[in-house]
Amino acid sequence: MVGENIQENLILGIDLGIGSCGWAVIDETVTDGRIVALGVRTFDVPETDKERTPTNQLRRQHRGLRTVLRRRRQRMNETRHLFEQAGLIADDRKGALKVPGLDPWQLRAEGLDRKLSGPEFAVALGHIAKHRGFKSNSKRDRGANAPKDSSEMLLAIAETRDRIKSFRTVGEMFAKDPEYAARRRNRDGDYTRSILRDDQEREVQLLFDRQRAAGNRLATKELEKEFITKAFFQRPLADSEDKVGLCPFEPAEQRAAKRSYSFEMFRLLSRLAALRIQSGAGDRALTPEEITAANSDFGGQKGMTFKRLRKMLDLADDTRFAGVPFEEEGKRDVVTRTGDMAAGTYALRKALGDTWKTLLVVPEKLDRIAFVLSFREDMDSIRKGLDDIGLEPVIVDALMQAVQEGDFGSFKGAGHISARACRKLLPHLKRALVYSDACGAAGYDHAKRPETDLTKIANPIARKALTEALKQVRAIVQEYGLPGRVHVELARDVGKSKEERDEITRGIEKRNKERDRLRIEFKEVVGVEPTSIEDMIRFELWREQQGRCLYTDREIHPNAIVASDNSVQVDHILPWSRSGDDSFINKTLCFASANQEKKGRTPYEWFGSDERRWSTFSACVESNKSMKGRKKRNYLLKDASVLEERFRPRNLNDTRYATRLLADMVARMYPDDGAQHVFARPGPLTDRLRRGWGVQNLKKNADGVRVDDDRHHALDALVVAATTNGALIRLTKAFQDAEKVGGHRDFGRLDPPWPGFVEETKSRLATVFVSRAERRRARGEAHAATIRQIVERDGANAIYERKSVDAMSEKDLERIKSPERNAKLIESLRAWIAAGKPKDYRPLSPKGDPIAKVRLKTNKKVDVLIRDGAADRGEMVRVDVFRKKNKKDAWEYFLVPIYPHQVADIKQWPLPPHRAVQAYKAEDEWPEMTSDYEFIWSLYPLSYVELEKSDGTFVDGYFRGLDRTTGAVGLSAHQSREALHRGIGAKTLKSFSKINVDRLGRRSGIPREKRTWHGAVCT
């Protein structure tokens, strides 16, 4: 495909979100009908709908839990077998260690003073093997950097160990201390019953010693050794060194540990080289001498604030760091937001003391130390890795001591280049060369990036989105040829972690609440309701500027905000034609006369030569507490050359990692002809152009709320495609013309990219058919996580589930298990519920223990049998559709639901299920699909179907599910997953068609399919 059939007249626009890909192809050479095609492809986001937890994270958690349970089961099987061989028990069946009348806690205490029988000794030891206590080999479970749960557990263990001092063993303490009489197990968030595995192992050794002293010939040394091996064995934690990617500059080298000395120094020097100092003489960069002074005590502290940097550089009081308000210098770190830019170097210096200096002359050893500490978890593995570096034993011992104390818990993650590349760049960065120049001096091309392996992108959300985008581009190219240019825009949440996306969501919610508050305040201050977003922007600027025009230092009356005389205007502080910045931080509310005088200049270019006026203006800006630092930078910018060099390219091009990645991968479809074929457009520019070109109402309503129609992704892609370099040049020229005469110009009224753009867009957008990816993979939970107890009552199975007492009603008391045996518990709950469920005290069990949950009988049936319990089914994987003619020679349709647990268990289900849903009937009464029934096809989530109901009504949409109670199906409209049509009875349909929808939204009928099971055709 590379380089073939380039259609120079075509431009492809791509609007990529985390679950959608809008696309549009335009022909810029024609006069009428420039839109060649446009559409939308949506796909599943690999995360849960509600919590937005990545599904791979859930699979990892569930897999980890299954591993724990499997290993415990294996350990107990081996333990029982060992006890049988040693003569402690008669057989090794599953319940052999559950002996009626034997309390394991009591036996663990009594075993210290009397001889235990074989079964008693087995019950005591088996109890220890099953509940063997906490032990972690991970460096992250220690010290101040330990995870919250680990820290709380270790603190609780420390308190428990203080109590153990009054007893001989853990078992004796739990058996005899009244503190543990009511409860001996932990609860959610309560770790007060946690114990160390080492203490358990010491108890085993003492038990064997005391039993041998008491003449118990079963307590042999051999049994003791073998039991300890089986009961307390722990696999070493897996290292992750092999998962670290390769360096783009040094392809044979792995990327550096983020906490390595060279990478941390590289980050600092890169930042210092890019830093600008502002003074009366203008802006300047740091000198090599200043950079040397700034890193002279590198790692002496974890971070470096601008205030500390000012002191190290001995800067005059009237100088400023560009973009950093003077009052924030003590709070802001030079490199990172978290203030830990040298945390790794600081930790190593602290651990090694004076020997640190001996390693400074061999920084590659320092970097290797950080690599080992970052990507090895097990203590033995870490020590071996440190030994392999060739360090002095005293250094290794000091590092291991620091590991034990948790000092390196923050060592994790890799940088974007290798430690070797960092070391090559450092000399050039110390010469005050900016990153790009330092790369050139070191022989690296900073703009050239190696081809990315999509399978190695760690973020599953970004990996899925980028994969789908590439597939979509290939499908478009296959149909329309390789376009001369591709414009891409990525939603800002693509490539973000769950935490970052949650932060974006919280920011949006906070902003929406703030806007609601501003509307109320607007009415109170101005006296009328705001009529547009522009009114709100003008009011917000007015508030931020404390009701004054900062250019003239004159008061702006609130009425002027909505006045029709154009006496006040919104101005771009840094002219848009030169900066490309239309964000709020580049806007000011000023008098029209001031705007006319300023024209296309920056404030400094306008009146910076008037020292007195500039000083007053600067003081006014600096003292404004409502204004952000970046906005103050715009007001006070002196070096206007950065507008064209840095600001405008950044504001008119999206430089985020995920965007660059997609652009790079699409660019590889083109020949290496020296021309740029792929351009990245930022979302804010698309938003403003959509508004300025008069098509905003196709995406958002009058209140600025997005309409429930996924076709807006195609609209965005069309705007992205139309944002050509020519369009940007025309737009810039329009702003320049207005700025030259001091006229007002904004994005509210712009010339469209071509005549008839709005009408053509509306017409073509209405014809877009949204293509949705059919969910064919049988993945996800095979059954619900909750496993309920099954009890046989009167020859039938009864299912019990645990319910929180806070959610219980008095009627629920009738469903409590074994009401005669639990009479006192029921009365306690009844009294508590009658008292209004007071929060200051909880209902108590007969033992005096607070009750959190109780087991209630349900009317549920056994859906999925799991470990002698019952679980609810997972979501349907597919629905197999059969048909059969009735007595009237008309087709009737039958739907067979298939679930994940059936697909997963091929032994239980060697053939697919064959019973079709019949409304309001039990499953064993559903009709069987015998050879009399004809299989047509399988419906998967988001299969597209067209139906004709018995009354002649036609319904079409994406399949959303089957109600197994009524046998009715649910569909959603193609343009919106939320527009649901439920309750469509399938059996009596006049016609039932399955439709294939390809990536470009083209539909074609599917006459028949063959039924398959595990990839093989079946009948």
Side-chain angles (χ1 to χ4, degrees):
M1 182 185 294
V2 176
E4 294 183 4
N5 195 27
I6 296 182
Q7 306 294 317
E8 295 291 353
N9 58 313
L10 298 184
I11 300 174
L12 169 61
I14 293 291
D15 170 59
L16 181 63
I18 62 173
S20 64
C21 181
W23 60 276
V25 179
I26 63 174
D27 186 341
E28 62 175 345
T29 62
V30 299
T31 311
D32 297 323
R34 288 196 181 184
I35 301 175
V36 177
L38 70 167
V40 178
R41 173 73 167 182
T42 71
F43 45 88
D44 281 339
V45 182
E47 63 181 9
T48 58
D49 292 333
K50 188 175 181 181
E51 295 84 3
R52 304 210 314 186
T53 304
T55 51
N56 69 328
Q57 179 179 324
L58 288 179
R59 287 196 298 271
R60 188 165 58 247
Q61 291 172 350
H62 294 162
R63 189 164 54 243
L65 180 58
R66 288 195 299 270
T67 299
V68 169
L69 294 174
R70 185 182 69 251
R71 288 176 179 172
R72 179 190 294 170
R73 186 164 57 248
Q74 181 181 345
R75 182 172 71 248
M76 295 310 298
N77 288 342
E78 292 177 352
T79 298
R80 291 194 303 272
H81 184 63
L82 175 64
F83 290 166
E84 180 194 22
Q85 287 183 320
L88 272 66
I89 53 178
D91 59 70
D92 62 356
R93 58 186 171 79
K94 185 176 179 180
L97 299 180
K98 293 181 179 179
V99 182
L102 295 185
D103 180 353
W105 291 110
Q106 200 65 34
L107 291 173
R108 288 170 64 173
E110 293 176 2
L112 300 174
D113 299 310
R114 73 170 178 86
K115 178 181 174 181
L116 299 178
S117 67
E120 289 177 329
F121 197 24
V123 169
L125 293 176
H127 188 256
I128 295 175
K130 187 174 183 180
H131 308 285
R132 55 186 188 160
F134 174 79
K135 181 179 182 179
S136 174
N137 290 333
S138 174
K139 62 181 183 290
R140 307 192 196 283
D141 286 332
R142 294 168 167 80
N145 292 305
K148 183 175 182 290
D149 286 352
S150 295
S151 297
E152 292 178 352
M153 182 184 294
L154 292 172
L155 183 62
I157 286 174
E159 294 176 356
T160 303
R161 297 195 85 192
D162 284 339
R163 300 182 74 92
I164 292 178
K165 294 176 182 177
S166 302
F167 301 89
R168 289 172 289 180
T169 64
V170 170
E172 186 179 46
M173 178 186 71
F174 276 91
K176 296 183 177 181
D177 192 333
E179 172 69 19
Y180 304 108
R183 179 169 61 87
R184 292 163 176 158
R185 302 289 299 276
N186 284 329
R187 286 181 174 164
D188 291 343
D190 177 7
Y191 301 103
T192 55
R193 271 58 178 169
S194 299
I195 52 178
L196 279 182
R197 190 171 304 171
D198 290 345
D199 291 331
Q200 293 279 71
E201 190 170 342
R202 278 191 288 271
E203 178 176 349
V204 168
Q205 293 168 347
L206 184 57
L207 271 174
F208 270 94
D209 286 343
R210 299 302 297 166
Q211 285 300 300
R212 283 192 288 264
N216 192 336
R217 288 183 295 177
L218 296 172
T220 63
K221 288 277 188 181
E222 292 74 17
L223 176 60
E224 178 183 356
K225 181 179 179 181
E226 198 165 350
F227 173 76
I228 288 175
T229 299
K230 291 184 181 299
F232 299 115
F233 170 74
Q234 180 153 317
R235 292 168 178 81
L237 295 171
D239 298 332
S240 57
E241 286 177 304
D242 59 326
K243 293 180 174 59
V244 180
L246 298 177
C247 172
F249 296 150
E250 299 283 347
E253 296 283 324
Q254 288 181 292
R255 292 182 291 154
K258 275 188 178 179
R259 293 303 184 196
S260 64
Y261 169 79
S262 294
F263 188 76
E264 288 186 333
M265 177 67 82
F266 159 76
R267 291 185 70 189
L268 173 62
L269 295 184
S270 298
R271 180 71 178 99
L272 292 176
L275 195 62
R276 306 290 295 182
I277 303 293
Q278 296 176 337
S279 64
D283 290 5
R284 68 172 180 85
L286 269 62
T287 66
E289 293 74 23
E290 287 175 323
I291 288 180
T292 299
N295 67 76
S296 58
D297 187 37
F298 184 69
Q301 295 183 24
K302 289 184 179 180
M304 179 188 292
T305 63
F306 281 97
K307 182 177 181 180
R308 180 176 167 224
L309 179 60
R310 172 183 291 278
K311 185 177 180 181
M312 296 176 76
L313 300 183
D314 194 23
L315 295 178
D317 292 342
D318 62 346
T319 58
R320 295 288 184 269
F321 295 106
V324 182
F326 181 75
E327 64 273 12
E328 293 184 18
E329 288 185 2
K331 296 180 287 186
R332 290 179 58 171
D333 189 84
V334 174
V335 180
T336 66
R337 293 182 180 180
T338 51
D340 60 352
M341 61 95 179
T345 306
Y346 173 82
L348 286 172
R349 285 184 61 168
K350 179 183 174 184
L352 297 174
D354 292 338
T355 56
W356 157 262
K357 296 177 182 177
T358 64
L359 290 175
L360 274 177
V361 295
V362 279
E364 55 272 13
K365 286 192 175 183
L366 279 175
D367 296 335
R368 182 58 192 170
I369 289 171
F371 196 86
V372 169
L373 294 175
S374 297
F375 302 113
R376 296 198 181 193
E377 295 293 332
D378 183 72
M379 294 298 173
D380 292 337
S381 178
I382 291 173
R383 176 174 282 278
K384 183 180 184 305
L386 295 176
D387 287 336
D388 291 343
I389 297 173
L391 302 171
E392 295 291 333
V394 65
I395 294 178
V396 174
D397 290 342
L399 291 171
M400 290 306 300
Q401 179 64 32
V403 171
Q404 292 284 354
E405 293 173 359
D407 291 344
F408 301 129
S410 65
F411 278 55
K412 55 185 177 181
H416 63 288
I417 59 176
S418 65
R420 174 176 289 182
C422 290
R423 294 194 295 270
K424 285 187 178 181
L425 289 168
L426 292 181
H428 307 294
L429 293 170
K430 288 179 180 178
R431 290 165 42 210
L433 296 183
V434 295
Y435 174 66
S436 56
D437 294 340
C439 286
Y444 299 141
D445 181 357
H446 79 285
K448 186 177 181 181
R449 286 177 283 273
E451 186 169 0
T452 301
D453 183 352
L454 280 173
T455 62
K456 295 189 177 173
I457 296 176
N459 185 325
I461 313 296
R463 183 171 62 248
K464 174 72 171 179
L466 293 173
T467 301
E468 288 292 332
L470 284 177
K471 290 180 180 179
Q472 193 67 27
V473 171
R474 292 190 185 107
I476 295 167
V477 170
Q478 184 71 29
E479 180 67 19
Y480 302 103
L482 191 61
R485 277 165 289 161
V486 178
H487 299 169
V488 299
E489 181 209 321
L490 268 67
R492 60 175 173 165
D493 47 4
V494 176
K496 301 289 187 182
S497 66
K498 173 185 179 298
E499 292 73 18
E500 290 170 323
R501 286 182 287 118
D502 287 344
E503 184 65 29
I504 290 173
T505 301
R506 286 191 293 269
I508 293 172
E509 292 172 350
K510 180 180 178 182
R511 180 63 179 156
N512 288 337
K513 290 179 182 178
E514 186 178 349
R515 281 177 177 167
D516 293 340
R517 182 176 54 79
L518 282 173
R519 285 181 179 276
I520 297 172
E521 188 177 345
F522 187 105
K523 176 72 180 296
E524 294 173 351
V525 174
V526 183
V528 296
E529 294 280 356
T531 59
S532 65
I533 294 176
E534 284 71 23
D535 283 351
M536 294 297 296
I537 291 174
R538 290 157 73 95
F539 179 67
E540 196 168 357
L541 289 169
W542 180 85
R543 285 177 73 253
E544 181 186 65
Q545 298 166 202
Q546 299 166 358
R548 305 189 72 79
C549 168
L550 295 184
Y551 291 158
T552 62
D553 198 27
R554 289 164 49 198
E555 181 183 359
I556 299 175
H557 193 277
N559 291 345
I561 296 173
V562 293
S564 58
D565 59 2
N566 201 31
S567 58
V568 295
Q569 298 175 343
V570 175
D571 176 49
H572 290 112
I573 303 167
L574 303 177
W576 187 89
S577 65
R578 299 164 65 189
S579 69
D581 187 356
D582 188 54
S583 67
F584 185 82
I585 67 168
N586 193 39
K587 290 180 179 179
T588 187
L589 188 67
C590 66
F591 286 106
S593 57
N595 194 15
Q596 291 166 5
E597 185 179 346
K598 175 176 177 278
K599 300 181 180 178
R601 296 176 289 183
T602 68
Y604 186 76
E605 290 173 333
W606 176 20
F607 55 80
S609 58
D610 186 337
E611 189 173 334
R612 181 179 176 185
R613 183 179 177 185
W614 181 256
S615 177
T616 302
F617 174 73
S618 299
C620 182
V621 171
E622 291 281 15
S623 62
N624 190 316
K625 303 294 184 183
S626 303
M627 199 177 294
K628 293 183 177 180
R630 287 179 59 202
K631 189 161 194 174
K632 292 181 179 180
R633 176 206 64 185
N634 287 352
Y635 274 114
L636 303 179
L637 181 69
K638 294 181 178 179
D639 183 7
S641 66
V642 300
L643 294 180
E644 285 80 7
E645 292 174 5
R646 289 190 296 174
F647 289 18
R648 183 172 172 77
R650 183 181 63 208
N651 289 322
L652 298 185
N653 294 278
D654 192 341
T655 58
R656 293 172 301 155
Y657 172 71
T659 310
R660 295 200 315 268
L661 202 58
L662 176 60
D664 284 349
M665 289 186 288
V666 174
R668 294 182 190 279
M669 297 180 180
Y670 291 86
D672 189 9
D673 56 7
Q676 182 177 358
H677 295 280
V678 184
F679 303 82
R681 300 302 187 208
L685 178 63
T686 303
D687 179 71
R688 285 160 176 78
L689 290 176
R690 187 176 56 243
R691 177 160 47 94
W693 288 343
V695 291
Q696 180 80 327
N697 63 330
L698 299 178
K699 179 174 181 177
K700 297 181 180 180
N701 61 24
D703 295 326
V705 179
R706 184 178 295 177
V707 298
D708 182 23
D709 190 332
D710 283 338
R711 289 177 292 190
H712 72 78
H713 298 299
L715 172 65
D716 286 342
L718 177 61
V719 174
V720 171
T723 310
T724 62
N725 287 339
L728 291 176
I729 290 171
R730 292 191 297 273
L731 185 61
T732 301
K733 180 69 166 54
F735 270 86
Q736 284 175 340
D737 292 343
E739 291 163 357
K740 284 178 182 177
V741 297
H744 176 61
R745 184 85 195 198
D746 62 21
F747 281 84
R749 295 171 298 278
L750 299 177
D751 295 332
W754 62 81
F757 170 79
V758 175
E759 292 74 18
E760 184 181 0
T761 298
K762 289 180 179 178
S763 173
R764 293 300 298 272
L765 195 65
T767 66
V768 168
F769 191 91
V770 178
S771 168
R772 301 187 186 277
E774 196 176 45
R775 196 183 306 151
R776 281 180 167 262
R777 299 182 71 180
R779 297 187 67 169
E781 295 182 339
H783 55 81
T786 302
I787 300 176
R788 300 179 178 88
Q789 184 184 39
I790 301 176
V791 178
E792 187 175 342
R793 299 283 185 188
D794 301 325
N797 286 332
I799 297 179
Y800 289 83
E801 66 180 0
R802 299 181 70 201
K803 187 173 184 178
S804 169
V805 295
D806 293 310
M808 286 181 61
S809 64
E810 188 168 355
K811 189 170 181 60
D812 288 327
L813 300 178
E814 300 172 4
R815 300 192 287 125
I816 289 181
K817 183 180 178 182
S818 305
E820 300 83 6
R821 181 168 58 85
N822 291 313
K824 291 184 179 180
L825 181 144
I826 293 172
E827 289 309 311
S828 176
L829 284 167
R830 193 185 308 279
W832 182 70
I833 293 172
K837 301 181 181 179
K839 299 293 183 183
D840 53 346
Y841 78 89
R842 309 290 291 174
L844 302 178
S845 70
K847 291 184 178 181
D849 194 28
I851 305 170
K853 294 181 178 181
V854 293
R855 207 175 294 276
L856 304 179
K857 185 179 180 181
T858 72
N859 57 4
K860 294 180 178 291
K861 297 182 179 180
V862 178
D863 290 341
V864 185
L865 190 64
I866 301 292
R867 297 194 297 274
D868 300 325
D872 291 340
R873 303 176 184 87
E875 294 184 4
M876 291 181 193
V877 171
R878 76 186 200 212
V879 173
D880 286 353
V881 182
F882 291 78
R883 67 182 180 183
K884 181 182 179 182
K885 286 195 172 182
N886 58 21
K887 295 178 180 179
K888 297 180 180 180
D889 200 35
W891 289 113
E892 289 184 341
Y893 297 93
F894 300 84
L895 309 182
V896 178
I898 298 177
Y899 294 90
H901 72 276
Q902 296 167 332
V903 176
D905 192 351
I906 194 170
K907 290 183 179 180
Q908 180 70 24
W909 297 92
L911 294 173
H914 55 275
R915 288 187 179 274
V917 173
Q918 184 159 344
Y920 306 108
K921 294 286 186 179
E923 186 169 348
D924 55 6
E925 297 180 62
W926 291 356
E928 290 189 39
M929 298 295 99
T930 61
S931 58
D932 296 337
Y933 297 80
E934 180 184 355
F935 172 75
I936 317 175
W937 48 65
S938 296
L939 294 182
Y940 298 87
L942 297 179
S943 292
Y944 198 79
V945 296
E946 292 180 351
L947 314 174
E948 183 183 3
K949 299 168 75 172
S950 57
D951 61 1
T953 304
F954 286 90
V955 183
D956 62 339
Y958 284 102
F959 177 66
R960 299 301 301 277
L962 165 68
D963 186 332
R964 60 180 284 119
T965 301
T966 64
V969 299
L971 307 179
S972 64
H974 76 91
Q975 74 273 18
S976 171
R977 292 183 62 168
E978 305 305 318
L980 296 178
H981 191 155
R982 299 186 186 277
I984 304 172
K987 186 175 182 180
T988 58
L989 291 172
K990 278 189 176 181
S991 66
F992 195 153
S993 302
K994 181 180 179 182
I995 308 298
N996 176 64
V997 182
D998 71 6
R999 284 186 165 273
L1000 303 184
R1002 298 172 298 195
R1003 287 157 288 169
S1004 57
I1006 300 175
R1008 290 284 297 275
E1009 290 177 343
K1010 292 184 178 181
R1011 198 182 194 202
T1012 61
W1013 190 242
H1014 290 279
V1017 176
C1018 60
T1019 56

